[in-house]
């Protein structure tokens, strides 16, 4: 969204993307200081019921999380979101806050019961062991979002540590960072990256940004003509991904912070 000069321009882009056939819209309370939700609210007016709309909160107490949801619903111009997610769970301390009395999980359960969200989930960027722990600590998650990309296997692998737990728990799996903040594009093309992520076991959707409408159109064409990678193709893409990144591989906190 922050590639656009103002909310109205961003909203027009949202509507163009919808017109291209996209029906899954990922958002968060913190994106673009709230203007991302505002742009979605304007851009999806009249078609809200045709899309799967998500947002997220970084708040860890029930009171603050519900306040965030109220703001999100107002800006998104809707009375519910399809998926509400705990944003960027990073540590065991985060897990303890979320699950403690008065923690954010209470807000999520209340919102789902009240119908202000249909499904609940969480996201995280850095530590696959934290993902696995939170999946195991609570058995009613509907979704999880995690990095899935062709260099993931090289260090602190989400594919090896968190993905199997998500599959076992039967939750919806969203892949993110599939282009590695564009650093994977040193050695792979966008088609490689998208096909790789969507070829991983259990992955239902790939969250991918685009700097231009042309890039989004390319991404859509890849999905429309999607063909799952063979094991040989997966091995080749993994090898090229690591070679292109050199020693900087994997989803570690330090690596992604430097690349953010």
């Amino acid at each position: 969204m922050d590639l656009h000069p103002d909310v109205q321009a961003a909203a027009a882009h949202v509507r163009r993307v919808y017109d291209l056939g996209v029906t899954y819209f990922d958002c968060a309370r913190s994106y673009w200081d709230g203007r991302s939700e505002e742009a979605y609210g304007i851009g999806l007016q009249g078609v809200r019921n045709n899309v799967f709309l998500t947002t997220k909160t970084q708040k860890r107490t029930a009171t603050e999380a519900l306040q965030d949801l109220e703001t999100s619903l107002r800006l998104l111009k809707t009375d519910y979101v399809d998926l509400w997610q705990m944003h960027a769970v990073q540590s065991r301390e985060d897990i303890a806050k979320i699950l403690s009395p008065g923690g954010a999980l209470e807000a999520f359960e209340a919102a789902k019961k009240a119908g202000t969200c249909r499904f609940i989930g969480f996201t995280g960027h850095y530590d696959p062991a934290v993902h696995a722990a939170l999946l195991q600590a609570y058995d009613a998650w509907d979704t999880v979002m995690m990095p899935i990309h062709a260099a993931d296997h090289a260090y602190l692998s989400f594919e090896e540590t968190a993905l199997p737990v998500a599959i076992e728990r039967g939750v919806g799996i969203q892949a993110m960072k599939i282009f590695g903040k564009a650093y994977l594009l040193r050695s792979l093309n966008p088609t490689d990256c998208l096909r790789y992520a969507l070829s991983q076991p259990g992955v239902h959707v790939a969250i991918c940004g685009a700097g231009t409408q042309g890039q989004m159109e390319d991404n859509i064409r890849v999905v429309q003509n999607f063909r799952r990678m063979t094991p040989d193709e997966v091995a080749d893409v993994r090898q090229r991904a690591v070679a292109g990144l050199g020693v900087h591989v994997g989803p570690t906190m330090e690596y992604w912070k430097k690349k953010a």
Side-chain angles (χ1 to χ4, degrees):
M1 290 295 189
D2 53 2
L3 296 171
H4 300 283
D6 53 45
V7 168
Q8 290 297 329
H13 178 71
V14 168
R15 192 53 168 251
R16 285 194 295 271
V17 170
Y18 169 81
D19 289 338
L20 288 170
V22 173
T23 56
Y24 186 106
F25 288 84
D26 175 75
C27 200
R29 178 83 283 278
S30 62
Y31 290 169
W32 206 19
D33 295 325
R35 289 175 291 173
S36 182
E37 290 179 330
E38 187 178 357
Y40 273 24
I42 296 170
L44 295 174
Q45 280 186 295
V47 298
R48 165 66 186 94
N49 291 334
N50 301 336
V51 304
F52 191 95
L53 185 61
T54 85
T55 196
K56 314 179 190 77
T57 178
Q58 288 182 292
K59 303 302 184 183
R60 299 299 187 240
T61 70
T63 299
E64 291 176 313
L66 284 174
Q67 289 172 347
D68 256 9
L69 181 58
E70 290 174 1
T71 302
S72 293
L73 294 176
R74 175 174 54 81
L75 292 175
L76 290 167
K77 299 185 185 301
T78 184
D79 55 5
Y80 74 98
V81 289
D82 294 286
L83 172 62
W84 191 29
Q85 299 169 97
M86 297 186 189
H87 196 178
V89 179
Q90 298 182 15
S91 65
R92 304 278 178 163
E93 290 75 20
D94 258 355
I95 293 176
K97 291 176 183 177
I98 288 165
L99 301 181
S100 66
L105 183 59
E106 292 183 4
F108 277 67
E109 291 179 328
K112 188 174 181 180
K113 184 176 181 179
T116 47
C117 71
R118 294 174 58 212
F119 304 106
I120 61 173
F122 71 93
T123 80
H125 300 250
Y126 307 122
D127 189 340
V130 170
H131 261 56
L134 187 49
L135 284 165
Q136 292 166 334
Y138 179 70
D139 62 4
W141 297 116
D142 295 305
T143 70
V144 62
M145 185 188 295
M146 67 181 76
I148 299 287
H149 59 77
D152 168 83
H153 64 284
Y155 186 68
L156 287 180
S157 174
F158 278 85
E159 291 174 24
E160 294 178 4
T161 303
L163 187 58
V165 179
I167 293 171
E168 178 187 6
R169 296 278 167 157
V171 304
I173 300 168
Q174 304 159 89
M176 66 170 168
K177 296 199 184 302
I178 60 175
F179 303 125
K181 290 285 190 179
Y183 278 79
L184 288 174
L185 300 180
R186 294 172 172 178
S187 54
L188 304 176
N189 61 49
T191 298
D192 290 332
C193 295
L194 261 171
R195 284 187 63 213
Y196 179 88
L198 291 172
S199 294
Q200 297 313 299
V203 171
H204 296 93
V205 64
I207 307 298
C208 52
T212 67
Q213 183 171 328
Q215 289 174 348
M216 180 58 70
E217 290 172 353
D218 288 343
N219 292 341
I220 292 170
R221 278 191 290 269
V222 171
V223 175
Q224 288 173 335
N225 300 295
F226 175 67
R227 179 174 55 84
R228 188 174 296 275
M229 282 187 169
T230 66
D232 286 344
E233 287 176 314
V234 168
D236 172 66
V237 168
R238 284 175 172 169
Q239 183 178 23
R240 287 190 284 128
V242 172
L245 288 176
V247 298
H248 298 295
V249 295
T252 66
M253 185 179 299
E254 293 77 16
Y255 173 73
W256 291 117
K257 280 186 176 179
K258 290 177 182 176
K259 304 309 180 189

